[in-house]
Amino acid sequence: MDVAALTSAIDELASVDPVELADPDTVATLWRARVRLDAALSAVLAAFQDSGAFGEDGSRSAAAWSAAHCHLSPREARRSVRLGHTMAQMPMFAAAYRAGDLSASHLEVAAAGLAPRCVEAFGRDEAMLVAQARALSFADFSRAMAYWVQLADPEGTEERDAEVRARRDVSLAQSVFGTWMGQMTLDPIAGTIVSSELT
């Protein structure tokens, strides 16, 4: 593939006055193109990780190499590599991602279905879940996926809920000026109660 042609096309796009592109159809097309490029990059990064070619300069992973050579945050680089490997485990979601129909965030939500006790059901239901991801808003799909995980792995859901509850934490401290500052980490039920009371 001539990657230089892609670079040239991006250069041409960057040279256009943004006002000329600020219409609904063009914005939607650009978003879709970006998602497709992200999907292709993640797949390449996963292959880069598997090949070991990243280690020629002493880097320990494809993510570390990308962070060092491409001026990325380590977190962003790790996310892209992880998504590439995730794509290999969910072919229907990956196809929708490569087509620009779904985002990386959709795959991250759907990855809950790759838990050991869910994976068989996920293989059975992946087409249905992809259809829901395409039809629903992202927030609604996230809720639908969480509900699917509850049905596919009720024991695991209880364990995860217990872990979330165990991580509850509240800190409150007074500054030198007398102002009180705090932070809370709450499970969904406790968080809803506290939010309602504060409101």
Side-chain angles (χ1 to χ4, degrees), residues 118 121 124 144-155 157 160:
C118 295
R124 180 196 67 213
M145 191 70 211
Y147 181 62
W148 180 90
V149 170
Q150 287 179 353
L151 295 177
D153 182 18
E155 292 182 9
T157 300
R160 285 187 292 273

Side-chain angles (χ1 to χ4, degrees), residues 101-153:
D101 294 339
L102 301 178
S103 69
S105 296
H106 283 93
L107 267 72
E108 289 176 326
V109 169
L114 299 178
R117 289 188 294 206
C118 295
V119 68
E120 183 177 348
F122 184 83
R124 180 196 67 213
D125 293 342
E126 186 178 4
M128 177 270 293
L129 293 170
V130 169
Q132 288 194 338
R134 283 189 167 112
L136 300 173
S137 69
F138 179 76
D140 286 344
F141 169 66
S142 297
R143 284 190 286 270
M145 191 70 211
Y147 181 62
W148 180 90
V149 170
Q150 287 179 353
L151 295 177
D153 182 18

Side-chain angles (χ1 to χ4, degrees), residues 25-42:
D25 289 341
T26 303
V27 170
T29 299
L30 289 174
W31 267 117
R32 192 179 189 92
R34 176 185 165 175
V35 169
R36 297 185 70 190
L37 184 58
D38 285 345
L41 176 59
S42 286

Side-chain angles (χ1 to χ4, degrees), residues 20 37 49 93:
E20 296 180 25
L37 184 58
Q49 172 70 35
F93 271 98

